[in-house]
Amino acid sequence: MALQILLNVILALCWMFLNNDPTAVGFITGYAMGLFSLFLLRRFFPRRFYVLNIWAIIMLLLIFIKELLLANLSVLKTILAPKLKNKPGIFAFKTDLKADWEITTLANLITLTPGTLVIDISDDRSILYIHAVDIDDAEKAIYDIRHSFEETIKEVSR
Amino acid sequence: MNKQQTNDVILQTVTKVACFIILLFSFHLFFAGHNNPGGGFIAGLMTSSSFVLLLLAYDLKTVKNILPINFIYVAATGLFISVCTGIGSFVFGAQFLSHAFGYFHLPLLGKTELATAVLFDTGVYLVVVGVTMTIIQTIGERE
């Protein structure tokens, strides 16, 4: 992905020199042209076309904002309830993310969405121990995390 | 033909960057065609020369995987576009192939002259790319 972005910037600079147009507009036009030629020869690279990765990052941000809103509402409900009915608990979440930044991102996303909190990560970095404020069904919580955050992070690093 | 397998690592690495620059230069030639030397024909040749560089650095099969295009269809599409721009002038009650231009305000580029000749040029460009690549690939396939 980094290689493709670098090549695209170099192509945009080439375009500016070819057209003798050292302006922002020239750069953007050249970037678009470079993007098109990268798209034309996208199978040339071992990784996939990098715009898809950037799209995945945007999707991750949107999902994060959505989960943040929903989870804050649910915590609000728990706090304002006249009687404390929530059942706190700790559950293990087995992840198959490998890279350090992937695990860190996943842990931060889980922590920042209220209601869940990453306590510890096992030594072999395969299990995240998560504390939940209100846990009816650990299976469901695991399923939710896997299908909202983990899949999207995988999509980013693909 | 059992040629000794050579290690083309330098050629292949340089090709990886160079073919993109050639491709970009061909786009530059294509758009320069109206007021400066350039145009659809030379841009098409330049684009196919970029693909030919790929063919030289890699083999025919790899390039077919990278560009899974039947170039005969590219030539046909180009011819179709060119004829359509010619016929399109009938819609406005003008003679065959008469072209028009106007000045438009595009969101980013500002005041730009858009001419229908560019559409015709696109057709020429595609025909040239299609024909050149078809010729080279057909010759290359024969043992």
Side-chain angles (χ1 to χ4, degrees), chain B residues 56-122:
Chain B
L56 284 175
Y58 298 86
D59 52 357
L60 212 61
K61 229 177 192 172
T62 322
V63 175
K64 273 204 171 151
N65 281 331
I66 294 169
L67 287 165
I69 305 168
N70 191 343
F71 282 98
I72 295 177
Y73 294 145
V74 174
T77 316
L79 206 58
F80 181 72
I81 290 171
S82 287
V83 171
C84 277
T85 54
I87 289 172
S89 54
F90 288 144
V91 178
F92 301 99
Q95 281 185 331
F96 184 59
L97 279 178
S98 58
H99 89 115
F101 66 94
Y103 291 95
F104 296 93
H105 269 282
L106 296 183
L108 196 64
L109 298 169
K111 190 183 165 195
T112 320
E113 184 190 6
L114 294 181
T116 53
V118 175
L119 293 175
F120 185 79
D121 240 14
T122 314

Side-chain angles (χ1 to χ4, degrees), chain B residues 41-52 55 71-72 74-75 124-139:
Chain B
F41 182 76
I42 190 169
L45 277 181
M46 200 54 109
T47 304
S48 37
S49 81
S50 153
F51 296 156
V52 168
L55 279 170
F71 282 98
I72 295 177
V74 174
V124 174
Y125 173 82
L126 289 176
V127 169
V128 172
V129 172
V131 169
T132 317
M133 288 311 290
T134 310
I135 290 171
I136 287 167
Q137 280 187 337
T138 320
I139 293 172

Side-chain angles (χ1 to χ4, degrees), chain A residues 11 19 28 33 37 43-44, chain B residues 23-24 28 31 65-66 108:
Chain A
L11 287 178
N19 281 334
I28 293 167
M33 292 290 166
S37 49
R43 287 156 209 264
F44 198 29
Chain B
L23 209 55
L24 196 80
H28 167 69
F31 287 111
N65 281 331
I66 294 169
L108 196 64

